[in-house]
Amino acid sequence: MTVVQICVGSSCHLKGSEELVKRIEAEIAAHGLEDEVLITGGFCLGKCNREGVTVKVDEDVFTGVTEQNFSEFFKERVLSKAKAGI
Ligand code: FES
């Protein structure tokens, strides 16, 4: 199981964490990975960025996830990991 923790701290919230949660949920469902990926919210990870949202995938922390780079982030950091775990 891959755990994706999306920061919902105030800085990330302002930069779109709510939308990001919806988008990740939709992608997980579209790929049928509901049993492989657990999506959670979390408080400030101490990595607030000028741009985008901070997301932790298992033990790796990624900053600056935006609407623009979401697809690449999802494919490289979440999808590949989740599929490797199947
Ligand atoms: S509010 Fe998200 S890392 Fe600080």
Side-chain angles (χ1 to χ4, degrees), residues 46-63:
K47 302 262 184 191
C48 308
N49 206 24
R50 273 191 297 140
E51 196 174 274
V53 176
T54 302
V55 182
K56 192 171 171 193
V57 181
D58 290 333
E59 293 311 311
D60 301 319
V61 176
F62 302 98
T63 59

Side-chain angles (χ1 to χ4, degrees), residues 7 9-16 44-55 61-66 69:
C7 178
S10 50
S11 175
C12 289
H13 177 74
L14 288 173
K15 292 172 185 113
C44 180
L45 290 161
K47 302 262 184 191
C48 308
N49 206 24
R50 273 191 297 140
E51 196 174 274
V53 176
T54 302
V55 182
V61 176
F62 302 98
T63 59
V65 180
T66 63
N69 64 25

Side-chain angles (χ1 to χ4, degrees), residues 30-79:
H31 288 89
L33 293 170
E34 293 94 333
D35 294 336
E36 311 303 325
V37 181
L38 176 67
I39 302 168
T40 68
F43 294 114
C44 180
L45 290 161
K47 302 262 184 191
C48 308
N49 206 24
R50 273 191 297 140
E51 196 174 274
V53 176
T54 302
V55 182
K56 192 171 171 193
V57 181
D58 290 333
E59 293 311 311
D60 301 319
V61 176
F62 302 98
T63 59
V65 180
T66 63
E67 189 73 18
Q68 289 71 37
N69 64 25
F70 173 81
S71 296
E72 195 184 335
F73 165 78
F74 184 81
K75 201 171 130 201
E76 287 179 10
R77 307 300 184 184
V78 181
L79 196 55

